[in-house]
Structure formats: structure tokens, C-alpha cells
Amino acid sequence: MAAKAADYQPVKRENHSTVRVGDYLYMWGGAQPGLPEVHNNEEKKSMCSVMEVCHLRTGRWEQKPTTGNPPLGVRGYAAATIGREIFYFGGHCNHDDCYHNSLYSFNVDTFNWKELSPTTSHHGPMMKHHCGMIAIKVNGEDYLVVIGGWAPSFDNTPKQPGAQYSEAKGIASSRQRCNEIHFYKLSTGQSTYSLY
């Protein structure tokens, strides 16, 4: 017997985020049962092309399909909101040492993904996960600020002048933590870093 829509609950997961826009919570990605340990394939794209939505007034969850291509950094990414857009930065790809520094937006009215800045190892922020991201307004302009993070030390962008990087010890000895601070100006699509 199929479960009623009111009985729907998202699958268990970790290393995801849930953000609020209006009267709704939007939960996406994370490590979850059956997520393929590959860079990209149809099964992974299918699993990541849905958004879990909770209506706060009723407590009812539902799973909704999305359009466009969702981020490949599905675990440990950072998220922040501005208006009706949710922004996603970085994340781990769920296989090997594959980390991202891409920036995506998700529109809660159209349920469409849009890549704003692709992953690249040629400029910062470093390809990472477990960083923070906040939305701020400066002189009437919207910015996203990406702070800190954790990633491999052997496959990454040039170090940010003035930032600190520390090698992890033990099992994760090829990883590093950082205190990078990057500002992304939404109106121009330009990323700059903070000087210390």
C-alpha cells in the first residue's frame, strides 16, 4: 500500500543543509542511502534533481522535481539565501578526493538550478567542503561571503594571500583547513578575497 502524501518523510541523510524561505524549509543533497560514489551519472543526477520541501504551518513534507543541472558537490556544501534564491557553494562529490568550488543558485519559484561559477583549480576559493557562507548587503549590493573550509592540500587553487592553512593530522593527513574569506558580488558575478 502506497503511503499518503501527508505521511511522506525524506530519507535519512547527513552533510546536507536545510534553509528557510518564507513558510517553507528546503532540504537538498547530503550523503544518503544509495547515492552513487561517482562524479556524475544518470542515477546520481536523478537523486540530486529533487528538493525536499516542508510547509512549516502544516509540518507536511513533499519531494519536488527540479530542472537544470544540480551541483555535483552534494555533501558538505555551504548554503545561504537571498530573497527567493538559495545559493550553494562547494561540497564533496561523494567519491574519492573530488571537491568543488562552484556556486549555484536555486530559485524556489521555478525550481530551477543555475550554475553561476564553475569549479576550477585555477583561482579561489579553494575546492572544499565544510565551509560557511552568509549573505550580506554592502552599499545596496548583494554579496555571498564564503568562509573557511576543509579540502585536499594536493589539488587546489593558489593560496589566498594572508590566509592561514593548516595540515590535518592522522588519517586525513593530506587535508588542510583554511580561514579564507571570499566575497562573491551577485550583480557582477565577480569573486574577490579579503586581505588580512
Side-chain angles (χ1 to χ4, degrees), residues 81-148:
T81 62
I82 297 176
R84 308 288 292 167
E85 299 276 328
I86 305 172
F87 296 90
Y88 295 86
F89 171 81
H92 183 264
C93 203
N94 202 44
H95 74 97
D96 300 329
D97 284 322
C98 187
Y99 295 83
H100 295 266
N101 61 1
S102 57
L103 179 66
Y104 282 76
S105 69
F106 178 79
N107 184 291
V108 300
D109 295 321
T110 63
F111 274 70
N112 185 62
W113 292 102
K114 181 179 178 184
E115 184 180 57
L116 302 178
S117 177
T119 287
T120 175
S121 62
H122 302 301
H123 63 78
M126 66 187 248
M127 297 182 290
K128 58 189 170 183
H129 71 326
H130 297 308
C131 56
M133 183 167 65
I134 59 170
I136 63 171
K137 194 174 281 282
V138 177
N139 297 326
E141 294 277 356
D142 288 318
Y143 288 82
L144 295 167
V145 184
V146 177
I147 305 165

